[in-house]
Amino acid sequence: MGTAILEGLLEATENDSSSPISRFLVSTNSEGSAGRIRNKFRNDALRLRVEQSHNKEFMQEADIILLGFKPHMAERILGETGVKEALAGKFVISVLGGKTPLVLENCITQDCQVTTRPCVVRAMPNMAARIRKSMTIIEKNPELPAHLHETLVWIFRTVGDVKELDADLFDVGSMLVGSSMAILSVGLDGILDGSVMEGIRRSDALQMAAQSMLGMAELFR
């Protein structure tokens, strides 16, 4: 998901001098992941830096931090030495499933004297972010300053559409925009299999089915 968001943001900001984001710092868990991202976005090397295990350093340097690792890694990563201080007062956006802002704030500030707490919000895009067609759910936060709210919405509108939901509806909204794609693809696979059995090439069947689904989506809208 992090790579999909990065791809959408890089494309959206490529020729936009008014963009609030000009540089991207990516810290990965392994050198293999870092190498794959560097290779994938090698044409953006001047404004993208990718390193393995540079969490604290990049958090210190960045103004906006996007948490895109696996949810079970939250306590370990946010509990690394120096991370709590690096995130003090920062704007932190989480796309971690099942982790509320309060849980993440507690992971960041526990057992540490931090005078300024980070501002943590959560959002849930889907994989269509990579082609800038995501439907992203943002949790409403009435305490979020207006300028940070504008930045949050801008970030995810660069990769698709945005819908804000109350905290008690966030989880079901996340399932709707995320899991629904996987569920619907099962039916599509069955349709494609049937088409192939009747003699249509799978690539042709997929092209026709995808266009039909695009039309269906527009009718629903």
Side-chain angles (χ1 to χ4, degrees):
M1 182 61 72
T3 304
I5 297 171
L6 175 64
E7 185 169 4
L9 282 170
L10 284 169
E11 181 181 344
T13 59
E14 184 175 8
N15 298 308
D16 186 359
S17 60
S18 64
S19 166
I21 301 176
S22 58
R23 295 180 61 236
F24 298 85
L25 305 172
V26 177
S27 176
T28 67
N29 191 49
S30 69
E31 182 55 39
S33 295
R36 285 192 295 272
I37 295 174
R38 289 192 201 103
N39 184 63
K40 182 178 181 65
F41 302 113
R42 55 185 176 275
N43 293 333
D44 293 289
L46 293 178
R47 59 195 183 113
L48 172 65
R49 181 182 173 192
V50 185
E51 301 289 350
Q52 177 194 7
S53 300
H54 274 51
N55 298 333
K56 182 189 73 173
E57 294 83 356
F58 284 177
M59 288 175 181
Q60 285 176 330
E61 186 173 348
D63 298 311
I64 302 170
I65 295 91
L66 177 70
L67 305 180
F69 45 79
K70 295 180 180 179
H72 71 84
M73 300 168 65
E75 290 189 1
R76 177 176 67 81
I77 291 178
L78 298 178
E80 290 178 4
T81 302
V83 163
K84 297 176 178 64
E85 293 81 1
L87 292 179
K90 295 291 183 71
F91 185 33
V92 180
I93 303 169
S94 167
V95 295
L96 310 184
K99 298 291 185 181
T100 67
L102 180 59
V103 168
L104 295 173
E105 283 188 30
N106 289 338
C107 288
I108 295 168
T109 59
Q110 65 179 346
D111 302 325
C112 181
Q113 297 299 319
V114 177
T115 56
T116 306
R117 297 177 67 88
C119 180
V120 183
V121 298
R122 64 172 172 168
M124 185 55 62
N126 59 38
M127 289 304 294
R130 64 178 298 186
I131 57 170
R132 300 176 66 180
K133 293 293 184 180
S134 174
M135 179 68 247
T136 300
I137 300 299
I138 292 176
E139 181 179 323
K140 289 183 180 178
N141 181 350
E143 298 181 359
L144 186 66
H147 70 285
L148 294 183
H149 178 267
E150 290 175 2
T151 299
L152 176 65
V153 172
W154 175 87
I155 287 173
F156 289 103
R157 278 189 176 158
T158 64
V159 294
D161 203 356
V162 172
K163 181 70 174 179
E164 295 186 73
L165 292 178
D166 292 329
D168 61 341
L169 297 175
F170 184 87
D171 287 341
V172 67
S174 299
M175 294 293 290
L176 174 61
V177 303
S179 300
S180 63
M181 295 180 69
I183 294 170
L184 292 171
S185 69
V186 175
L188 175 61
D189 275 342
I191 292 172
L192 296 179
D193 288 345
S195 299
V196 171
M197 289 182 64
E198 293 296 330
I200 299 177
R201 292 190 305 172
R202 194 174 189 88
S203 59
D204 291 339
L206 178 57
Q207 181 182 11
M208 290 185 283
Q211 181 60 38
S212 297
M213 293 180 71
L214 284 172
M216 180 180 68
E218 288 301 319
L219 287 172
F220 282 145
R221 284 170 63 91

